[in-house]
């Protein structure tokens, strides 16, 4: 009897200790209350010449940052491909060079990870006022009869190659998005050609037609305010940014009012939503009487992550195992989520919640990042060039692990996103 009591006590004590350890790790996986201090610098002029020593200092910094912060180095066993990329990067930057040359080499190095949250940033971003569409290898302007051939005399293929080097692309939809966005980006065009006009750009199509467009400064993108409205027999949540602010609070209140009135056909539109706080997605679905499935999450601690996010640990990791079992659909609500190639990060997570938790349907086109992805930005800046960028310090694994290798979240009804809302309204009739 005495032996049995000792065994039971030992088991209980072990469980208590394990629970305390788990709780400690859990608490350390989230930021404390503190003032965020990001490492942001001012990049020098692209034509500024850096000495070999200056280049080597900045180059070594980006390697140090990447290897100490990114989850890849904890999670991937065979790093031979990375080591080869690193050797090539070191060889290419073992000399004096301009800020532009270093920027391009660093961007190419970071692209190894194909992680949309691990990339370099511009101090400002300038676009020309034209909307382009990329399809099957060609770039189109909607009022032209043939594909775009050159932009300010630069062959479109050359611009695509530059974009491939500058921007990480997690899947084919990310490539389409990048070609459409950055083919008329002043900073990208200046990397392709020195003397690009600052106030206009000239598009020339395959049939010889020419179109002139003026510059549009876009340093701080303004997204349309999220809102709730009714159309036909449905409640539509036009959800443009995953930001838990006063606008979002109003969206929640308006959605609650509609549900309280007995409206049960709901469309959440995350076309063009770049992401933000994923908890906003959970809140919307909770208002609909649903519970989301849980992502698994791997968090890598580092001195830089601790400094910017307030973690108490500077090394090691925290892992949270998710599950589809916690998902709960409200059978009284008929839910459709609209996505497109501009849906990203937390907005993609909303669609994944709905897919993996079987909470509703998805209409539109695949989003620009993978359902399982790296994320949560850590900022960095180089001491000499001032080049700035972001690094992921987490990996998110979708709840339905049987689908973890999918590169795209393909909608249940895959159509041109311009017609996605009309299609959803039709399906809800």
């Amino acid at each position: 009897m005495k032996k049995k009591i000792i065994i039971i006590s030992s088991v209980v004590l072990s469980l208590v200790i394990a629970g305390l350890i788990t709780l400690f790790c859990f608490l350390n996986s989230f930021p404390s209350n503190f003032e965020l201090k990001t490492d942001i610098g001012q990049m020098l002029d692209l034509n500024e010449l850096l000495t070999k020593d200056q280049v080597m200092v900045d180059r070594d910094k980006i390697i140090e940052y990447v290897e100490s912060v990114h989850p890849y180095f904890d999670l991937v066993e065979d790093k031979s491909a990375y080591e080869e990329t690193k050797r090539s990067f070191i060889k290419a930057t073992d000399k004096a060079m301009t800020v532009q040359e270093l920027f391009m080499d660093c961007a190419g190095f970071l692209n190894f990870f194909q992680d949309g949250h691990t990339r370099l940033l511009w101090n400002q971003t300038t676009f020309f006022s034209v909307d382009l569409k990329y399809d099957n290898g060609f770039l189109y302007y909607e009022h032209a009869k043939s594909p775009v051939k050159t932009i300010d005399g630069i062959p479109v293929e050359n611009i695509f190659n530059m974009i491939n080097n500058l921007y990480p692309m997690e899947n084919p939809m990310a490539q389409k998005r990048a070609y459409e966005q950055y083919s008329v980006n002043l900073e990208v065009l200046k990397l392709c050609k020195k003397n690009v006009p600052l106030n206009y750009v000239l598009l020339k199509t395959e049939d010889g037609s020419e179109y002139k467009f003026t510059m549009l400064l876009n340093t701080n993108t303004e997204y349309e305010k999220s809102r709730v409205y009714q159309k036909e027999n449905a409640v539509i949540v036009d959800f443009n940014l995953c930001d838990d602010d006063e606008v979002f609070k109003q969206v929640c209140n308006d959605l609650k009012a509609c549900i309280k009135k007995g409206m049960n056909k709901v469309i959440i539109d995350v076309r063009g939503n770049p992401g933000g706080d994923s908890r906003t997605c959970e809140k919307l679905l909770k208002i609909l009487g649903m519970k989301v499935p849980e992502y698994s999450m791997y968090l890598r601690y580092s001195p830089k992550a601790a400094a910017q996010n307030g973690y108490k640990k500077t090394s090691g990791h925290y892992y949270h195992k998710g599950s589809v079992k916690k998902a709960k659909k409200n059978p009284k609500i008929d839910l459709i989520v609209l996505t497109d190639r501009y849906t990203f990060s937390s907005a993609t997570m909303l669609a994944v919640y709905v897919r993996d938790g079987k909470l509703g349907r998805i209409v539109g086109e695949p989003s620009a990042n993978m359902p399982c992805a790296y994320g949560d930005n850590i900022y960095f800046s180089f001491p000499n060039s001032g080049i700035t960028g972001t690094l992921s310090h987490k990996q998110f694994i979708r709840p339905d692990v049987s689908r973890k290798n999918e590169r795209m979240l393909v909608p249940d009804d895959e159509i041109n996103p311009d017609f996605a809302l009309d299609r959803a309204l039709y399906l809800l009739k």
Side-chain angles (χ1 to χ4, degrees):
M1 183 69 179
K2 189 175 181 180
K3 184 178 180 181
K4 188 175 181 180
I5 292 173
I6 293 173
I7 292 173
I8 293 173
S9 300
S10 299
V11 171
V12 171
L13 181 61
S14 298
L15 290 172
V16 170
I17 292 172
L20 290 173
I21 292 172
T22 301
L23 179 62
F24 174 79
C25 293
F26 179 79
L27 293 174
N28 272 281
S29 70
F30 294 96
S32 307
N33 292 324
F34 78 112
E35 183 180 353
L36 177 65
K37 296 179 180 180
T38 54
D39 186 2
I40 299 291
Q42 182 71 26
M43 186 168 65
L44 299 178
D45 185 273
L46 291 175
N47 296 316
E48 185 86 17
L49 183 65
L50 301 171
T51 67
K52 179 179 177 180
D53 287 344
Q54 288 176 317
V55 170
M56 290 173 65
V57 168
D58 282 8
R59 176 200 69 198
D60 292 346
K61 273 296 179 184
I62 192 172
I63 293 173
E64 174 195 333
Y65 291 154
V66 167
E67 294 185 354
S68 64
V69 172
H70 204 282
Y72 167 90
F73 296 92
D74 281 0
L75 300 173
V76 177
E77 187 172 341
D78 182 5
K79 301 179 183 63
S80 57
Y82 166 76
E83 292 297 335
E84 181 58 36
T85 299
K86 177 180 170 181
R87 282 192 291 270
S88 298
F89 174 54
I90 290 173
K91 183 177 180 181
T93 52
D94 191 26
K95 60 183 179 182
M97 54 178 27
T98 64
V99 173
Q100 173 177 313
E101 291 169 330
L102 179 60
F103 187 97
M104 292 169 64
D105 283 336
C106 290
F109 170 63
L110 291 182
N111 272 358
F112 167 80
F113 302 98
Q114 290 301 291
D115 168 12
H117 292 87
T118 295
R119 50 172 290 189
L120 299 184
L121 303 174
W122 298 99
N123 286 334
Q124 71 174 33
T125 310
T126 309
F127 292 93
F128 291 96
S129 56
V130 52
D131 290 328
L132 300 175
K133 293 293 183 184
Y134 175 84
D135 186 47
N136 200 27
F138 296 98
L139 198 62
Y140 295 93
Y141 169 52
E142 61 179 338
H143 299 298
K145 295 180 180 179
S146 63
V148 177
K149 182 178 181 181
T150 63
I151 299 177
D152 200 57
I154 308 166
V156 167
E157 293 79 12
N158 293 1
I159 299 173
F160 288 169
N161 288 335
M162 179 61 69
I163 293 171
N164 289 339
N165 180 75
L166 291 174
Y167 299 100
M169 301 173 191
E170 297 187 15
N171 60 32
M173 296 310 294
Q175 183 184 59
K176 287 185 177 184
R177 186 186 73 169
Y179 288 172
E180 291 174 357
Q181 280 187 302
Y182 295 106
S183 289
V184 285
N185 172 256
L186 177 62
E187 286 72 28
V188 170
L189 296 177
K190 286 171 69 175
L191 293 179
C192 297
K193 176 185 173 184
K194 286 187 178 180
N195 300 316
V196 176
L198 299 180
N199 57 349
Y200 73 91
V201 69
L202 193 66
L203 266 66
K204 191 170 184 177
T205 58
E206 295 284 355
D207 64 4
S209 300
E210 293 186 350
Y211 303 87
K212 188 176 180 179
F213 300 95
T214 56
M215 181 185 73
L216 173 66
L217 192 64
N218 191 29
T219 51
N220 293 304
T221 302
E222 291 288 340
Y223 293 94
E224 289 185 20
K225 286 186 177 180
S226 299
R227 64 191 180 108
V228 175
Y229 64 100
Q230 299 175 29
K231 189 170 183 180
E232 297 180 12
N233 62 339
V235 180
I236 301 169
V237 182
D238 188 15
F239 192 31
N240 297 311
L241 191 64
C242 300
D243 194 357
D244 197 354
D245 55 7
E246 292 304 314
V247 173
F248 180 71
K249 289 181 175 64
Q250 185 61 52
V251 165
C252 291
N253 290 335
D254 292 345
L255 181 58
K256 287 176 184 176
C258 290
I259 300 301
K260 191 174 182 179
K261 286 194 300 185
M263 301 190 72
N264 63 351
K265 300 182 186 299
V266 180
I267 298 170
I268 302 179
D269 186 354
V270 287
R271 292 175 297 174
N273 187 320
D277 187 344
S278 62
R279 290 172 295 184
T280 57
C281 304
E282 296 180 46
K283 289 179 181 180
L284 287 180
L285 294 171
K286 185 177 181 180
I287 291 170
L288 301 182
M290 301 188 188
K291 292 183 179 180
V292 302
E294 273 193 303
Y295 269 79
S296 295
M297 186 269 288
Y298 184 96
L299 183 159
R300 186 183 182 194
Y301 295 114
S302 65
K304 208 157 190 63
Q308 292 189 21
N309 280 4
Y311 301 130
K312 297 174 184 176
K313 297 179 66 176
T314 57
S315 63
H317 73 272
Y318 168 77
Y319 177 72
H320 172 75
K321 183 174 176 57
S323 171
V324 295
K325 294 180 180 179
K326 293 191 176 182
K328 180 184 176 183
K329 176 179 172 59
N330 182 350
K332 296 180 181 179
I333 299 291
D334 197 352
L335 172 65
I336 293 180
V337 173
L338 310 184
T339 63
D340 67 0
R341 68 190 72 177
Y342 295 94
T343 302
F344 193 70
S345 195
S346 294
T348 297
M349 293 179 80
L350 172 64
V352 173
Y353 287 147
V354 171
R355 167 63 55 75
D356 289 9
K358 298 180 173 59
L359 307 180
R361 291 169 287 178
I362 303 169
V363 173
E365 68 179 0
S367 67
N369 64 314
M370 294 186 289
C372 296
Y374 296 116
D376 264 15
N377 293 339
I378 298 296
Y379 293 84
F380 66 85
S381 186
F382 299 157
N384 294 310
S385 63
I387 291 173
T388 298
T390 62
L391 299 169
S392 296
H393 76 293
K394 294 179 183 177
Q395 185 187 47
F396 300 94
I397 305 297
R398 68 187 298 176
D400 185 354
V401 292
S402 68
R403 294 178 169 181
K404 69 178 181 179
N405 293 324
E406 291 181 6
R407 295 191 65 197
M408 296 193 299
L409 190 72
V410 180
D412 301 289
D413 197 334
E414 189 174 3
I415 63 169
N416 185 323
D418 293 340
F419 309 117
L421 178 56
D422 290 338
R423 178 63 176 170
L425 290 169
Y426 172 80
L427 291 172
L428 290 174
K429 284 183 179 178

